[in-house]
């Protein structure tokens, strides 16, 4: 009996010791080891990067979207070498097709075999499981003090701080669309606009305006079909675009809640009575579908628009020249691409041949959900050693500093760019080019470590000022010509709901709307039948959301 008691006592002591060690380890994870010899935290400001020397080489594994075949991301050219030598690192890049990224992320994280840094599309239900099971790294509680540039960009996402409240710490780093150069506040809308053949529509007597209703686009497209002002012949396509482009042009332009193309769960919103409803079932969605259906039945769309992949739709507008209008990215980089392609493939000056305009709904207002200021999210391995973690954080923080951003987006100082007499960066390139074409190791590595390229797109010295001004003006005009109903604020309760029923909702709106647009029979009846077919999945989600208010 005494032996048994002593054995049990020893076991209890061992369990207590293990438990205390575990707690100590967990507590240690919440404090950074980034200290100097005096025990003071070393802040990674710009002055720090001017003097720091990294003596120990470190290899960092990173999973990202497909890399460029044949590119050595550690030693490809002087640009690649500059980064690896400055931080004394070697990258172990794991390349995954974007369509498989989330699948592979779940496999790696759940198996405990994830790379040091992993990009994924943020899924709140998945994140809850990862945090609860300790499958992703918790950043130290003082990380914002030590890496202030990264912290500043992180706070601009709004999502990061929302998740901190839920999880009790930082486990996810949302990558912001915009940081210092956010075009409007507090929320951003989608940036797509319509690109129209200005030379064609002016020849037909149409007014050049900053915006058009969807029905006005149809009227111009019909006139283009009937008159063929560009003498294209049988190849003429009045309205180009794939199923996602056409959903945006017709349906999303008439309802902020018709799809989730721009913002996940944007289809669920509160009506005037405070009840959650489902946007695809509202009349504004039917309005957009009616115009979409009309465009199809009138023969204004590309006959095989269902099958268009990648850049095929845009190539038909910019390279082949037989498309009258199409939805495009409404930012400076996109305008520059169109200008280059029109000159190279069509021998035309795009500033004379192309007009950009944002698209209104039939009610005369701009419609868009508020976008989460996030392109994708980054998570880190909980088993990564502290030295690797700190080096990785140093790199990510540097890419958010004023100088680091320029190295990420413009290349090497005094080789690709320099500061002018006013201290502003200016390009040293004699011709416009994309940095990923000049320095192939830039993509998809240094362009994707944290801040998204949209932010620098607003101020990039390599792009014409007129295009940067135009891109910013579209954001401003869209906001000005909207209401709280047509451009609503983000509902964080919906976006971050842990409802199982809500997480089960999965609909390919672009495909379903295209099928409704081409379907025989009465459109409204077909639409209502489609709604009825979705309600067994939708209604439980609505019930969960409405129970939050009861």
């Amino acid at each position: 009996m005494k032996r048994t008691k002593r054995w049990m006592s020893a076991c209890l002591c061992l369990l207590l010791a293990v438990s205390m060690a575990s707690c100590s380890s967990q507590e240690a994870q919440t404090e950074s080891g980034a200290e100097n010899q005096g025990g003071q935290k070393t802040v990674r400001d710009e002055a720090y990067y001017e003097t720091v020397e990294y003596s120990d080489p470190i290899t960092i594994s990173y999973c990202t979207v497909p890399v460029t075949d044949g590119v050595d991301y550690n030693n490809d050219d002087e640009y690649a070498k500059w980064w690896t030598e400055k931080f004394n690192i070697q990258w172990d890049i794991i390349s995954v097709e974007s369509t498989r990224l989330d699948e592979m992320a779940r496999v790696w994280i759940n198996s405990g075999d994830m790379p040091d840094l992993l990009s994924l599309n943020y899924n709140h239900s998945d994140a809850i499981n990862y945090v609860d099971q300790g499958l992703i790294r918790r950043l130290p509680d003082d990380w914002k003090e030590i890496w202030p540039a990264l912290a500043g960009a992180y706070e601009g996402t709004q999502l990061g701080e929302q998740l901190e409240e839920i999880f009790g710490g930082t486990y996810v780093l949302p990558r912001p669309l915009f940081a210092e150069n956010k075009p409007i506040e507090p929320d951003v809308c989608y940036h797509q606009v319509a690109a129209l053949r200005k030379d064609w529509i002016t020849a037909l007597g149409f007014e050049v305006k900053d915006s058009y209703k969807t029905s006005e686009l149809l009227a111009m497209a019909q006139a283009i079909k009937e008159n063929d002002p560009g003498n294209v012949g049988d190849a003429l396509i009045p309205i180009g675009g794939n199923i996602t482009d056409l959903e945006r042009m017709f349906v999303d332009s008439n309802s902020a809640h018709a799809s989730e193309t721009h913002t996940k769960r944007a289809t669920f919103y509160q009506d005037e009575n405070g009840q959650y409803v489902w946007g695809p079932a509202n009349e504004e969605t039917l309005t957009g579908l009616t115009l979409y259906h009309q465009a199809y039945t009138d023969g204004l769309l590309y006959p095989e628009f269902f099958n268009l992949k990648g850049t095929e739709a845009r190539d038909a507008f910019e390279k082949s020249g037989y498309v009258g209008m199409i939805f495009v990215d409404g930012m400076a980089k996109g305008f520059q691409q169109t200008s280059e392609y029109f000159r190279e493939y069509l021998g035309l000056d795009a500033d004379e041949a192309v007009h950009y305009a944002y698209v209104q709904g039939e009610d005369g207002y701009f419609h868009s959900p508020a976008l989460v200021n996030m392109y994708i999210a980054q998570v880190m391995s909980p088993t990564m050693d502290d030295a690797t973690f700190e080096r990785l954080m140093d790199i990510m923080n540097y890419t958010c500093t004023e100088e680091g951003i320029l190295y990420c987006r413009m290349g090497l100082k005094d080789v690709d760019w320099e500061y002018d007499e006013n201290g502003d960066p200016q390009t040293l390139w004699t011709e416009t080019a994309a940095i990923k074409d000049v320095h192939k190791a830039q993509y998809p590595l240094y362009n994707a470590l944290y801040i998204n390229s949209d932010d620098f797109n607003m101020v990039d010295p390599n792009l014409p000022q007129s295009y940067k001004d135009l891109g910013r003006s579209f954001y401003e005009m869209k906001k000005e010509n909207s209401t709280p109903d047509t451009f609503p604020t983000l509902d964080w309760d919906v976006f971050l709901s842990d409802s199982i029923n809500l997480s089960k909702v999965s609909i390919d709106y672009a495909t379903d709307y295209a099928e409704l647009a081409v379907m025989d029979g009465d459109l409204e009846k077909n639409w209502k039948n489609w709604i009825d077919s979705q309600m067994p999945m939708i209604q439980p989600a609505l019930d969960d959301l409405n129970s939050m208010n009861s």
Side-chain angles (χ1 to χ4, degrees), residues 64-77 79-81 83-84 89-93 95 439-447:
T64 186
V65 294
V67 298
T68 305
D69 290 339
V71 174
D72 181 348
Y73 283 82
N74 292 306
N75 300 290
D76 191 70
D77 65 0
Y79 179 79
K81 292 176 184 177
W83 285 93
T84 54
I89 59 163
Q90 289 289 294
W91 291 104
D92 177 12
I93 303 292
S95 178
H439 299 299
K440 298 188 184 303
Q442 189 260 0
Y443 181 87
L445 180 54
Y446 300 107
N447 78 305

Side-chain angles (χ1 to χ4, degrees), residues 242-258:
N242 56 34
I243 59 175
T244 301
D245 299 326
L246 297 172
E247 175 210 286
R248 287 170 170 162
M249 180 179 287
F250 295 111
V251 188
D252 293 349
S253 293
N254 281 281
S255 174
H257 303 289

Side-chain angles (χ1 to χ4, degrees), residues 302-476:
Y302 186 77
E304 302 297 326
F305 73 91
F306 254 103
N307 300 321
L308 291 174
K309 306 295 182 185
T311 63
E312 290 175 344
R314 189 160 182 174
D315 288 348
F317 178 75
E318 296 174 330
K319 297 181 179 180
S320 301
Y322 55 72
V323 172
M325 63 187 73
I326 191 172
F327 239 42
V328 298
D329 294 343
M331 299 185 72
K333 187 176 181 180
F335 302 148
Q336 178 66 20
Q337 175 185 300
T338 297
S339 177
E340 292 172 357
Y341 285 170
F342 260 66
R343 181 173 59 253
E344 178 180 355
Y345 291 94
L346 304 177
L348 295 173
D349 180 354
D351 292 343
E352 298 297 325
V354 179
H355 175 65
Y356 301 99
Y358 74 92
V359 183
Q360 304 172 354
E362 290 305 288
D363 57 4
Y365 292 106
F366 172 72
H367 294 253
S368 173
L371 272 62
V372 180
N373 189 24
M374 171 186 69
Y375 173 67
I376 206 167
Q378 307 278 45
V379 293
M380 298 183 185
S381 169
T383 60
M384 173 173 40
D385 65 71
D386 290 343
T388 303
F389 166 73
E390 288 185 20
R391 191 74 57 87
L392 176 56
M393 289 291 284
D394 279 7
I395 300 169
M396 292 179 68
N397 183 74
Y398 180 73
T399 68
C400 299
T401 64
E402 183 177 333
E403 182 182 78
I405 288 170
L406 296 177
Y407 274 88
C408 284
R409 303 296 172 192
M410 294 187 69
L412 298 175
K413 184 174 180 290
D414 298 327
V415 176
D416 303 299
W417 61 274
E418 66 181 2
Y419 290 110
D420 64 17
E421 63 275 10
N422 298 317
D424 297 322
Q426 64 179 11
T427 183
L428 292 175
W429 295 346
T430 56
E431 296 182 4
T432 301
I435 183 174
K436 68 178 182 179
D437 296 328
V438 177
H439 299 299
K440 298 188 184 303
Q442 189 260 0
Y443 181 87
L445 180 54
Y446 300 107
N447 78 305
L449 277 178
Y450 200 58
I451 300 173
N452 192 53
S453 59
D454 285 4
D455 187 71
F456 194 70
N457 196 284
M458 305 299 295
V459 296
D460 189 347
N462 285 319
L463 297 172
Q465 188 61 46
S466 61
Y467 290 164
K468 290 181 284 189
D469 291 342
L470 181 61
R472 184 176 294 275
S473 71
F474 276 128
Y475 278 105
E476 294 168 348

Side-chain angles (χ1 to χ4, degrees), residues 487-530:
F487 180 26
T489 58
L490 190 67
D491 189 333
W492 289 109
D493 289 336
V494 175
F495 186 80
L496 296 175
S497 170
D498 59 1
S499 161
I500 298 299
N501 289 316
L502 190 58
S503 68
K504 291 179 180 178
V505 175
S506 177
I507 299 172
D508 184 346
Y509 290 100
T511 297
D512 286 6
Y513 288 155
E515 289 176 348
L516 286 169
V518 304
M519 193 177 294
D520 293 333
D522 181 75
L523 174 64
E524 184 171 358
K525 182 179 179 180
N526 292 337
W527 169 65
K528 289 180 177 178
N529 288 338
W530 175 77

Side-chain angles (χ1 to χ4, degrees), residues 28 31-36 40 44 140 142 146-147 386 389-390:
E31 290 296 328
S32 170
E35 299 176 346
N36 61 23
Q40 299 295 314
R44 273 58 165 177
D142 56 358
I146 300 166
W147 294 283
D386 290 343
F389 166 73
E390 288 185 20

